[in-house]
C-alpha cells in the first residue's frame, strides 16, 4: 500500500448516499473513515466492502447533532489515523450525515427546527472547523445540499433553509481556507431512492412517478448517481473546482 494514499472522512457513511459515497471514494484509490450514529453493524459491513476493494477503512460512532462531542470524536480520529493508517492527518471531509423532516412551514415546531439546525448546519459548521487541525493542506471539503434549495416542494421549509445556509457557508469556507489550498464544494442531490425521509421517494409510487415527470432524464435518482460525483471532488481531476454548487438531479424542475 502506498504511503501517500489520501484519506477521506465521510459522516453518515453506513447507509444510503453516504455508503455510496464512501465506496465510490474507495474506488478512486482513497482510504476511508466513515461515521455512523447507531448502525454499527451496517458500518462494519461498509468497512469490509471498502477493504475488499483494496483500500483501508475504519468506522467511528458520531452523532453530528452533539457538537460538544466533536473534540472527543476527533481524538478518536487521531488515534485511528495512527493505528490503522500510520499517519496523523486526513485529506477530505465529506459532511453527509443528515436527516429529513417533512412538515408544512406552519406546523414546524421549534424542536423540529433545532434538530434540523443542529444536524444540518451547526454540526457540519463546527465539525469542519475543529477538523481543520487534523486535515492536510491541499485537501478538500465536500458539503451536501439538496435540489430543494433551488426549487421548492411544500413541507421542506426548514430542511431546505438549513441547506441554503450550507451553500452560503461553502463559499465562505472556500474563500477563507484557500490559503491552505483546501477546496470546498457542495453537492446538491435531487430526489433519490433511499430510506431518507422514511423512504418516501423510493416507496411512494405516485410521488416517484411525479418526480420522474419533472426530471429531464425521466426518472428518479439512485444512490449510484451521487457517490461518483462526490468521489470526483476528492481527486486530482477536480483540483481547480472550488466554491461550486453542483446539482446532481438529472435536470429537475428546469
Amino acid at each position: 500500500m502506498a504511503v501517500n494514499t489520501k484519506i477521506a472522512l465521510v459522516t453518515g457513511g453506513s447507509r444510503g448516499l453516504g455508503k455510496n459515497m464512501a465506496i465510490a471514494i474507495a474506488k478512486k484509490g482513497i482510504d476511508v473513515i466513515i461515521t455512523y450514529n447507531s448502525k454499527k453493524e451496517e458500518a462494519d459491513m461498509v468497512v469490509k466492502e471498502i477493504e475488499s476493494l483494496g483500500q483501508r477503512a475504519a468506522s467511528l460512532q458520531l452523532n453530528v447533532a452533539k457538537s460538544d462531542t466533536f473534540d472527543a470524536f476527533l481524538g478518536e480520529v487521531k488515534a485511528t489515523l495512527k493505528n490503522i493508517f500510520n499517519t496523523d492527518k486526513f485529506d477530505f471531509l465529506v459532511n453527509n450525515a443528515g436527516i429529513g423532516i417533512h412538515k408544512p412551514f406552519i406546523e414546524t415546531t421549534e424542536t423540529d427546527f433545532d434538530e434540523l439546525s443542529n444536524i444540518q448546519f451547526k454540526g457540519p459548521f463546527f465539525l469542519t472547523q475543529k477538523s481543520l487541525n487534523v486535515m492536510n493542506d491541499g485537501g478538500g471539503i465536500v458539503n451536501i445540499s439538496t435540489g430543494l434549495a433551488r426549487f421548492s416542494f411544500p413541507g421542506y421549509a426548514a430542511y431546505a433553509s438549513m441547506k441554503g445556509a450550507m451553500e452560503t457557508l461553502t463559499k465562505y469556507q472556500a474563500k477563507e481556507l484557500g490559503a491552505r489550498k483546501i477546496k470546498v464544494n457542495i453537492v446538491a442531490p435531487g430526489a433519490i431512492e433511499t430510506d431518507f425521509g422514511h423512504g418516501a421517494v423510493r416507496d411512494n409510487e405516485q410521488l416517484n412517478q411525479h418526480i420522474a415527470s419533472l426530471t429531464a432524464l425521466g426518472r428518479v435518482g439512485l444512490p449510484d448517481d451521487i457517490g461518483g460525483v462526490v468521489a470526483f471532488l476528492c481527486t486530482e481531476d477536480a483540483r481547480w473546482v472550488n466554491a461550486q454548487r453542483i446539482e446532481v438531479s438529472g435536470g429537475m424542475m428546469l
Side-chain angles (χ1 to χ4, degrees):
M1 182 66 64
V3 181
N4 61 351
T5 301
K6 302 282 173 104
I7 302 168
L9 172 61
V10 181
T11 66
S14 63
R15 59 196 176 97
L17 291 184
K19 173 183 176 181
N20 191 273
M21 293 169 192
I23 291 168
I25 288 169
K27 287 178 178 175
K28 296 288 190 185
I30 298 168
D31 292 336
V32 187
I33 301 171
I34 63 168
T35 77
Y36 63 92
N37 184 20
S38 58
K39 313 254 182 187
K40 184 180 189 304
E41 295 78 12
E42 291 185 16
D44 290 342
M45 293 289 285
V46 177
V47 167
K48 286 179 182 173
E49 189 167 346
I50 290 169
E51 288 174 341
S52 75
L53 295 169
Q55 298 303 134
R56 292 172 294 185
S59 66
L60 295 171
Q61 198 278 331
L62 173 68
N63 182 345
V64 293
K66 297 183 175 178
S67 54
D68 59 347
T69 68
F70 291 170
D71 287 331
F73 166 72
L74 287 166
E76 292 182 26
V77 169
K78 289 177 186 176
T80 301
L81 287 168
K82 182 178 180 182
N83 295 334
I84 295 180
F85 303 95
N86 194 31
T87 188
D88 57 357
K89 291 186 178 179
F90 64 94
D91 302 279
F92 302 102
L93 173 62
V94 181
N95 285 308
N96 166 72
I99 62 162
I101 294 178
H102 181 262
K103 274 191 182 180
F105 167 72
I106 199 168
E107 295 175 16
T108 301
T109 65
E110 281 197 47
T111 301
D112 295 332
F113 185 96
D114 289 343
E115 183 178 13
L116 281 168
S117 177
N118 287 338
I119 294 172
Q120 304 287 12
F121 185 50
K122 182 180 178 182
F125 188 107
F126 288 104
L127 181 62
T128 303
Q129 182 192 82
K130 291 174 179 290
S131 292
L132 291 171
N133 290 331
V134 200
M135 287 185 69
N136 284 315
D137 291 355
I141 296 160
V142 183
N143 295 319
I144 305 299
S145 183
T146 172
L148 293 163
R150 176 177 65 84
F151 48 77
S152 55
F153 283 92
Y156 294 102
Y159 172 78
S161 294
M162 305 305 167
K163 293 302 195 180
M166 285 301 300
E167 292 189 8
T168 298
L169 176 63
T170 296
K171 289 182 277 190
Y172 276 85
Q173 289 173 325
K175 188 90 164 180
E176 296 190 27
L177 301 179
R180 289 186 53 183
K181 303 295 185 282
I182 292 174
K183 303 170 296 295
V184 191
N185 294 287
I186 190 157
V187 172
I192 308 290
E193 289 187 10
T194 67
D195 58 5
F196 187 80
H198 304 292
V201 173
R202 181 190 61 203
D203 302 334
N204 183 326
E205 188 174 349
Q206 189 175 2
L207 177 61
N208 192 299
Q209 290 177 353
H210 177 61
I211 292 169
S213 74
L214 300 172
T215 304
L217 293 179
R219 65 169 173 85
V220 167
L222 301 169
D224 276 344
D225 297 324
I226 309 299
V229 179
V230 173
F232 159 72
L233 291 171
C234 298
T235 68
E236 184 64 15
D237 286 342
R239 63 188 174 274
W240 206 236
V241 181
N242 196 22
Q244 297 305 300
R245 176 192 190 271
I246 301 174
E247 184 170 307
V248 192
S249 69
M252 277 185 74
M253 305 285 285
L254 298 178

